[in-house]
Amino acid sequence: MTVPQRWPLPAMAFGGDWNPDQWPREVWQHDITLMQQLGVNLLSLPVFAWPQLEPSEGEYRTDWLAEILDALDAAGIGVALATGTATPPAWLVRAHPEMLPVRADGVRLDFGSRQSYCPSSPVFRDRVAALTTMLATRFGDHPALRLWHVSNEYGDHISRCWCEVCAASFRRWLLRRHGSLAGINAAWGTKVWGQVYTDVEQIEVPRVTPGPDNPARLLDFERFCSDNVLELFRLELDILAELTPGVPRTTNFMGLFHDLDYWRFAAVEDLVSNDAYPDPGNAASHTDIALSYGLMRSLKSLPWLLIESAPSAVSWRPVNVPKAPGQLRAHALQAVAHGSDGAMFFQWRAARTGPERFHSAVLGHRGEASRSFAEASQLAADLATLAPVVGSRVRSSVAMVVDWDTIWALRPDASLPAEISWHAEAYQQHAALHQLGLAVDSVALPDSDLSRYSVVVAPTLYVTSDAQAEALEAFVRAGGTLVVGPFSGVVNECEQVHAGGPPGPLRELLGVEVDEQWPLLETGEQIVEFDSGARTVGRFWAEWIEPSDDVEVVAHYDGRPLHDLPAITCRRLGKGAAYYVSAGLPLDALTPWLHQVCAEAGVDVRMSANPWVEVVTRTDGATDYVFVINHAPTPAEARGPADADVLLAPDGDPPVRRTSGLSITLPPFGVAVLRMPSTTPSLHHVHSIEV
């Protein structure tokens, strides 16, 4: 048998989740015919079909799936074959109720939704292994198979469990991490509040306690839970690698998901795929989602796949606003602009039953008459045109540190000076960079190669190790510009405050010492004045910091009790510069300041006259593909180089070529893609597009 081309596809992936097991057989061929008409080339199935694949223990029924795969292959449609393990069947749960997850308050959750399992359950893991083995054996050489879709949205409903099985697994994990009971006691500082353990069996998962819990125990539990789900993921990955070598494996991530460390998950899979559901009711959604796209393309420094998105409204927000005409296309092509080699939807045909009856689909409840079907047809043609973009990378000279230890440690119940969220700070700083026309990658410390970037931003690096600090210092000494946000360098990996206080191992790099954190009761308690004379109102946070003699004060506080103390500092070190921002800055002050910082670092920066228009460049080294996307419900104008080739024209007025440049009128949610020779092999170079 000829081995089919697996991944990447020769064109942009287009399709989505198809659930033929939920529909009568007569619908199947009709759907496949429509898929052929649209140009669908990849489907995920059967994601939720464990009960149909295994109606009783060890009794497998796969003829129906074989029939569907054969029909898809005959139609030229590839399959991301799902292992179906996210939905354990009722017969398994009722035979083994001990496999159901338990909440922190001791309540065991019952069957009736997705992910009705404890990730540690040996019964569940045994049945997962058996089902995965069966599918790999039965369909591993099927010509329609393009990649494996392992489970589904790990952690969406269950990522943490507080049952006795998890408690035992947690103890074993702790002994591996800390080496001994004495190591655990030392790491957790258990002499405080009389929490010393004299036997490892005394250690429990952090259930509901009378008062504040030990922050070191809480952080270790977060790490354990992520690793525990990763262990479940690897169980399937290892089986698939052994039985179907060469077939890529993926699982669908969920953006900047709090519960799982995606750096560790991406390291063991072959292809990063992501679910993205920007809210049409949120005017800033295109900015926020771009941050998660930066993470996806950075996890393996490769193109990724948008494997799920909504054609229109979802079904799980308090108010589920549909997408405006053209927004389906704009959202999908934004993902492509940010490195996805395709756009896929949940789902192909709208369900008539269950919790997602009102979730949009390519085929809505009106079938081919649905608006989403017509708009998806246009997108399919666009993706076919964009086939040359497959495999290219996004140009970026700026990166953001994404660190799950800090994300987990900054929990609302962590007994901190005030509530501070990594996500909130990250979105704030990214919004400023995005407004400057910058595509922002993500980096993990100390493992990522920072030399690719001119500017690295750490929104807050509350948990900081010596190795992370060394990586940042090497970056600065080599000529990089570093921007570190407030409440950084505070604790080590065991939640112990660094000797001498913050910023701990960042002290020499930043050239400051933090005497006290000074959270604000009200916005405006502290005014921040820049050395330029510009003034802004501080938001939520300030710090009493003492700078070294060789540190430049970029901005200071005005007003008691921090009057004239530094708010933002800069230390020149080697060939680079390290900034420390101790104040919470509003977006209207952060944006122009970061503009100045990036410009001084040699980054091509544009202050967009229209923040609704996004410009992103992908390159293969020889050719640049410049995406110009209007996210507004009103028309917009853009101007590009006169010699640019229009690979994808927006609907409406065609671009006008003049000697002064290419004039482009973008209709509401319009998209244009320009193609031009790459003028430099550097990923830092961007083309001048005026908007």
Side-chain angles (χ1 to χ4, degrees), residues 219-237:
L219 179 54
D220 264 351
F221 184 66
E222 297 284 348
R223 292 168 173 147
F224 157 73
C225 290
S226 179
D227 283 355
N228 199 33
V229 178
L230 176 59
E231 193 174 85
L232 183 62
F233 182 32
R234 295 192 68 158
L235 171 68
E236 295 195 54
L237 291 177

Side-chain angles (χ1 to χ4, degrees), residues 422-441:
W422 180 89
H423 280 85
E425 291 308 291
Y427 282 124
Q428 178 83 349
Q429 296 208 15
H430 177 264
L433 295 166
H434 191 261
Q435 192 167 327
L436 299 176
L438 299 172
V440 181
D441 284 356

Side-chain angles (χ1 to χ4, degrees), residues 260-414:
L260 304 179
D261 184 344
Y262 280 159
W263 293 110
R264 292 172 64 82
F265 275 69
V268 299
E269 65 179 0
D270 302 306
L271 169 73
V272 170
S273 61
N274 186 49
D275 299 349
Y277 293 95
D279 184 359
N282 175 9
S285 64
H286 68 285
T287 298
D288 292 346
I289 203 69
L291 177 56
S292 73
Y293 292 162
L295 173 64
M296 293 304 127
R297 66 174 176 263
S298 303
L299 285 169
K300 296 185 81 69
S301 296
L302 292 169
W304 55 282
L305 176 62
L306 178 65
I307 203 168
E308 272 192 33
S309 60
S312 189
V314 298
S315 60
W316 35 266
R317 293 189 176 106
V319 178
N320 296 295
V321 178
K323 293 184 178 182
Q327 210 166 14
L328 175 154
R329 181 173 182 256
H331 281 178
L333 294 182
Q334 182 190 21
V336 173
H338 282 276
S340 175
D341 275 356
M344 299 174 65
F345 295 102
F346 181 86
Q347 56 184 325
W348 167 257
R349 180 179 285 276
R352 295 180 58 197
T353 60
E356 293 177 314
R357 295 165 298 163
F358 301 110
H359 193 294
S360 60
V362 175
L363 281 177
H365 291 297
R366 296 177 64 224
E368 300 96 300
S370 303
R371 176 173 66 93
S372 53
F373 183 77
E375 294 202 25
S377 301
Q378 180 186 8
L379 174 64
D382 294 336
L383 292 174
T385 300
L386 294 174
V389 181
V390 170
S392 61
R393 294 174 57 187
V394 174
R395 287 195 183 277
S396 177
S397 57
V398 179
M400 181 174 288
V401 177
V402 181
D403 180 76
W404 262 269
D405 275 359
T406 286
I407 290 171
W408 291 328
L410 293 178
R411 48 192 298 148
D413 58 353

Side-chain angles (χ1 to χ4, degrees), residues 24-65:
R25 181 173 268 97
E26 55 266 24
V27 174
W28 298 356
Q29 190 55 55
H30 178 62
D31 277 359
I32 292 174
T33 299
L34 291 176
M35 292 172 190
Q36 286 181 290
Q37 291 177 9
L38 255 67
V40 168
N41 58 13
L42 188 66
L43 294 170
S44 288
L45 67 111
V47 177
F48 304 123
W50 190 343
Q52 290 88 298
L53 292 167
E54 189 180 11
S56 62
E57 185 168 357
E59 178 196 355
Y60 296 116
R61 296 182 182 175
T62 60
D63 288 349
W64 64 273
L65 181 55

